Amino acid sequence: MPEPDVYERVMELAKRRGFIWPSAEIYGGVAGLVDYGPLGARMKRRIEEIWRSFYVLREGFHEIECPTVGVEPVYVASGHVKGFSDKMVQCPRCEEYLRADHVAAAHGVPNPAALSAEALSGALKELPCTACGEELGQVKVFDFNLMFNTWIGPGSQRKGYLRPETAQGIFTDFPRLLRFYRDKLPFGTVQVGKSFRNEISPRQGMIRLREFTQAEAEIFVHPEGKRHPGFARYAEYQVPLLGCCAQDEGKEEPVRVAMKDAVEGGLVANEYVGYYIALTHEILVSIGVDPARLRFRQHLTTERAHYAADCWDAEILSGRFGWVELVGIADRTDYDLKAHSAVSGVALTAYIPLEVPRMEKRKRIIPDMKALGPKFRGRAKEVADALVKADPGPGGVEIDVAGEKISIPASLYQVREEEVEVRGEEVMPHVIEPSYGIDRMCYAVLEHSYGEDMVEGEVRRVLRLPAAVAPVQAGVFPLVSRDGLDRVAAEIASTLTAGGIFTEFDESGAIGRRYRRQDEIGTPYAVTVDYQTLDDGTVTIRERDSMAQARVKKDALVATLRGLICGDIAFSSLGP
Ligand code: ATP
């Protein structure tokens, strides 16, 4: 039997210790759906809180919460009804449905996501099925829309979809958000919640789920204002970047570039995109992604959406899956607002006052009421009101009156040229979107923090989770469960919990076993109460990573542990 790879080891530990479980396991489980067990749910929540500490607290972007079910026009406008599909193929031998580009990629076909259905079909002809291993032969590649659809209300009233991303709720709330932010640009809004994609044959555990959690920020900026007001924060911040030209030249290694140089040199399109690439790097490292296995890859021109000005993926290196996207950061220009404006008929623009008003020559229509009256009778006023708002054309204008298009010849109005003062203008904001996949982040943190070392002739499995992410921050053990040690330890555990430290009291089994258990769930500190505690009021703290121990006063434990957890105190400073 081959040795289990890192994915299998991490998932075995995650299952056994209550991080991740197959969903509906008693019914055989469902591909693409997972449950977070008690420790996983807490770790995930803490990762989301770290994300919020950056976006909501520091950036000042308000969070909104929209339904996960949306009506059809939303997804017609966003392009998901027409274009949110993957290319699928069915193996003629085992009848398994497969993602055509994934089969091609697994056999080294370069950039298969950019290939047409015909080209993919040709590329797959002599390749083996990834499920049964038989040659696929002449197979048809077809589009499969990834959205789950449903009906809203009984009796098939309105067609609806489970949202495939959280972003659309923010776009459809744009007019209210603009008012909330007092009609000023830029502003940002975030949403953290479930998204749904009916992925074809998801075999990658937490990487490809059918229901997953996204954390998305939509930052609405003036189309000509892509200099970030806080860019100085990250001007010198170095990020490993793999640009599209480097990829075209066959390079795979990113280069570390200060964000200022990346933007000035044109590698990154603008300061906004650069700022959120750097911020993403900071978040990912702070939750426990290994910086040596993290890169930012720019989309190739063939994979980038046609409307996007620039697009980068934060990718982590996984032992089994290779480079995996955790976050997409894009300058989406005005694509989303334009699309929703066209389908809803609502103007999704912001009125921006000019710093210096300017004079402009304008042509204005003066309706000839004497001529309009007899022609339109009771509707003459409505027609005149619409005419005043229209731009005069050479031979007449077309106006819209209560949904009816009416052509008005130039003989029914006069055109006056006048100079007007322009104090502001309507602009359609551009959108910068950093889009995070929380489940992939959880998996990346588990894999990158997983380690095995030999301790006293035994394999020690350890999750080196940052204290800010660990589901338990301190384990508290009595050396033995008698002579009052258990009572003192239980009191200490209550004091720590009351002090805001996630604590677990454990009195069962040999002390070595209890340390191993906490190591496996990533607990950074373990506190042991022994006989000396009864004499002098001190306890030992053991640090997970170095396995070093120090004695501290139990009365100072909350302050000491808090300092260790937030990094203000170094463990080595505690003495022996
Ligand atoms: P992929 O190409 O891997 O399917 P994507 O480019 O379609 O991903 P986006 O639409 O940019 O993904 O979504 C933003 C983030 O949401 C991704 O970076 C990823 O972390 C997460 N995500 C997308 N699809 C899934 C999924 N099926 N399961 C888990 N997370 C996902």
Side-chain angles (χ1 to χ4, degrees), residues 85-393:
S85 47
D86 280 336
K87 297 206 165 45
M88 187 162 80
V89 70
Q90 187 177 22
C91 172
R93 325 274 169 236
C94 68
E95 301 191 344
E96 180 85 13
Y97 288 105
L98 309 162
R99 239 181 95 164
D101 58 330
H102 283 182
V103 180
H107 294 98
V109 175
N111 200 11
L115 297 182
S116 67
E118 293 71 45
L120 263 174
S121 189
L124 296 182
K125 212 160 130 198
E126 280 160 19
L127 297 180
C129 163
T130 42
C132 70
E134 294 290 321
E135 195 177 276
L136 285 166
Q138 193 70 56
V139 280
K140 190 168 165 10
V141 172
F142 49 96
D143 283 325
F144 174 74
N145 193 299
L146 299 184
M147 279 200 295
F148 285 95
N149 49 37
T150 183
W151 297 102
I152 302 173
S156 48
Q157 288 169 356
R158 294 191 85 178
K159 193 164 187 194
Y161 293 96
L162 294 189
R163 67 182 180 195
E165 58 182 26
T166 63
Q168 298 306 322
I170 301 180
F171 298 137
T172 54
D173 276 345
F174 174 78
R176 290 197 180 273
L177 286 167
L178 181 65
R179 241 166 288 147
F180 177 87
Y181 281 98
R182 304 192 182 186
D183 297 295
K184 289 197 179 70
L185 292 178
F187 70 83
T189 301
V190 304
Q191 184 158 201
V192 181
K194 292 281 193 178
S195 293
F196 303 82
R197 298 184 187 179
N198 203 1
E199 299 278 359
I200 304 163
S201 93
R203 294 155 179 270
Q204 295 165 293
M206 292 162 74
I207 304 291
R208 195 159 296 283
L209 294 169
R210 289 177 166 145
E211 174 176 338
F212 55 99
T213 300
Q214 284 187 315
E216 295 192 291
E218 308 302 322
I219 302 134
F220 297 94
V221 304
H222 193 292
E224 278 132 40
K226 294 199 180 163
R227 300 199 68 133
H228 193 292
F231 188 70
R233 181 198 294 276
Y234 290 122
E236 301 301 332
Y237 194 97
Q238 295 211 352
V239 178
L241 299 175
L242 183 60
C244 60
C245 296
Q247 293 169 69
D248 287 340
E249 288 162 17
K251 294 186 183 141
E252 290 193 356
E253 276 302 305
V255 282
R256 294 192 69 84
V257 188
M259 210 25 93
K260 170 170 65 67
D261 299 331
V263 174
E264 277 171 14
L267 175 56
V268 171
N270 56 59
E271 286 187 1
Y272 266 97
V273 174
Y275 184 94
Y276 289 103
I277 289 176
L279 185 147
T280 299
H281 186 273
E282 199 186 345
I283 292 187
L284 293 179
V285 172
S286 72
I287 62 168
V289 166
D290 176 5
R293 286 177 274 175
L294 171 61
R295 72 178 188 190
F296 287 74
R297 189 183 66 80
Q298 190 172 36
H299 279 202
L300 298 169
T301 38
T302 46
E303 74 184 299
R304 192 171 75 205
H306 63 92
Y307 49 79
D310 198 9
C311 200
W312 291 78
D313 288 344
E315 297 181 330
I316 59 108
L317 190 58
S318 152
R320 177 180 286 196
F321 305 115
W323 288 102
V324 175
E325 170 191 339
L326 300 191
V327 187
I329 300 157
D331 177 341
R332 299 178 59 86
T333 66
D334 59 5
Y335 175 79
D336 309 279
L337 292 182
K338 212 184 220 166
H340 282 296
S341 187
V343 174
S344 67
V346 176
L348 300 178
T349 52
Y351 177 81
I352 304 297
L354 291 174
E355 274 175 31
V356 185
R358 60 167 191 265
M359 299 306 289
E360 225 175 69
K361 284 212 169 83
R362 288 221 180 130
K363 286 186 178 156
R364 191 155 72 86
I365 290 185
I366 314 285
D368 181 348
M369 290 312 285
K370 278 205 194 106
L372 288 177
K375 196 164 166 56
F376 292 101
R377 299 178 185 275
R379 300 178 71 198
K381 180 159 183 336
E382 264 185 295
V383 171
D385 288 348
L387 253 183
V388 173
K389 289 184 201 140
D391 284 331

Side-chain angles (χ1 to χ4, degrees), residues 52-65:
R52 285 190 174 92
S53 73
F54 279 84
Y55 276 95
V56 181
L57 226 65
R58 206 181 77 182
E59 297 296 298
F61 298 161
H62 289 277
E63 180 172 355
I64 64 168
E65 195 177 314

